[in-house]
Every structure is written in C-alpha cells, then in structure tokens.
Amino acid sequence: MAGRAGMNGPHWRRVLATLGNTDARIAYAQIVLGAAHADLLPDVKPQRRQRALAALLESGLVGRQASGGLVAQDSIFRDLLAQQPRRQPQTGLDRFMRLGRIERYPANVAERRALLARIANEIIEPGEKLTERQINDRLLSYTDDVVLLRRYMIDFGLLQRTATGSSYSLPE
C-alpha cells in the first residue's frame, strides 16, 4: 500500500499532515461516507482535488479498489497505534521522565534532588558559565516551565547564580 514506511506501516506525521489539509480532510470524510470518485470535492479545482487525493493515497488513509475507486483503509488507525512502543515499567528517576522530559516532579525531596542533580550535570559542565538565556535554552529540552526548573536547581544548591543574575554555573 502507498504511504507505508518500510515494514513499519504508515507514519503518523504524514497521516496528521494529510488530515491537516482542508481539501484532503473533506475528501477523506466523503470517501468514508461512501461518495463516488467523481463526486469528491466537486467545488474544488481539478489540480487541488488531485493533490488532496494523492496525499490521501500516499499517507495510507485511502487505497484504490480494483475498479479504480477510492476506499478508506479500515486498519490505518489501528496500524498507527500498533507502532507505538509499549511502555515499560520504569524504575528509579526514569519513572519521572517521559521521552527525555520531566513528566512530573518527585514528591520525595531526596528523589527530587537526585533528578535535578542529574539534569544539572547534563546541561552544564564544571567551570562553565552560562547566561540566563543559555540555561533556559538547555532546560527547555526537559520542560516547558524552565523558570520553575531553574528555580528548583538554585533552591537545591545545584546551580548558582551571580548576584547580578548575569550568569549561572555549577557550585564550586
């Protein structure tokens, strides 16, 4: 089938990008509801119509019937979900992270400190001095709330800030 990425099946980004296109989304709805090929996107210029239908075919959302008509692929969403990795039970500090980002902060103070220490040692080298913007850019890969994370690190003594607030470093 078109739209398959090797043996892994359709790619979710391509499916979402296709559904993000208004013409493709309307055509997909029409196909799901059983519209004939000739009746798809009647008020759309032929070139736009062809692009929308090509995107649907390429993404794997629809397939061609032997008669040349289009049919919605019943298995597309099941295939996409099957590609998701099974979540393994996590232990240690990893249970507070998801895909390398903080999912939640540990309630236990010792665990919170350990998590923050690990992140601090990953973002800054001993002796390195960074501006607030540089620290924020590095912390952004761990959380969207960089201010809270930076504050926690300072409060736990894992990161020190100059009195003027112009630079940050690991404590000496």
Side-chain angles (χ1 to χ4, degrees):
M1 164 185 9
R4 293 218 173 251
M7 298 299 286
N8 296 330
H11 194 281
W12 67 269
R13 286 183 189 266
R14 179 164 289 194
V15 170
L16 286 178
T18 300
L19 292 174
N21 176 290
T22 302
D23 293 337
R25 191 171 54 251
I26 291 169
Y28 181 66
Q30 291 171 333
I31 293 166
V32 168
L33 294 173
H37 188 74
D39 297 332
L40 298 175
L41 299 171
D43 300 328
V44 174
K45 292 183 180 179
Q47 188 177 8
R48 271 182 50 191
R49 180 177 179 263
Q50 283 309 108
R51 270 198 312 263
L53 297 178
L56 288 170
L57 285 163
E58 206 172 295
S59 70
L61 282 162
V62 300
R64 282 214 186 272
Q65 296 174 315
S67 64
L70 299 175
V71 63
Q73 298 293 342
D74 292 334
S75 64
I76 183 78
F77 298 106
R78 186 174 44 252
D79 291 347
L80 289 171
L81 288 171
Q83 292 174 18
Q84 297 304 306
R86 301 271 185 243
R87 195 160 182 196
Q88 299 295 322
Q90 295 177 326
T91 59
L93 298 176
D94 290 333
R95 70 185 192 277
F96 302 109
M97 308 284 284
R98 176 148 169 89
L99 302 174
R101 293 177 58 86
I102 299 170
E103 186 173 52
R104 61 190 169 90
Y105 287 98
N108 178 293
V109 176
E111 287 180 326
R112 183 176 296 191
R113 185 181 203 303
L115 177 67
L116 296 171
R118 181 169 89 182
I119 293 170
N121 290 321
E122 289 176 1
I123 64 159
I124 189 168
E125 297 291 324
E128 186 178 21
K129 293 195 182 305
L130 300 174
T131 65
E132 183 172 303
R133 183 180 185 137
Q134 290 171 315
I135 284 288
N136 288 349
D137 287 346
R138 293 182 186 187
L139 292 177
L140 195 55
S141 63
Y142 294 94
T143 183
D144 291 330
D145 191 350
V146 296
V147 175
L148 177 66
L149 180 53
R150 191 181 68 233
R151 170 57 44 209
Y152 278 158
M153 290 179 161
I154 291 169
D155 289 350
F156 276 90
L158 301 168
L159 199 61
Q160 63 184 22
R161 180 177 58 191
T162 59
T164 61
S166 62
S167 70
Y168 293 79
S169 62
L170 292 174
E172 296 177 14

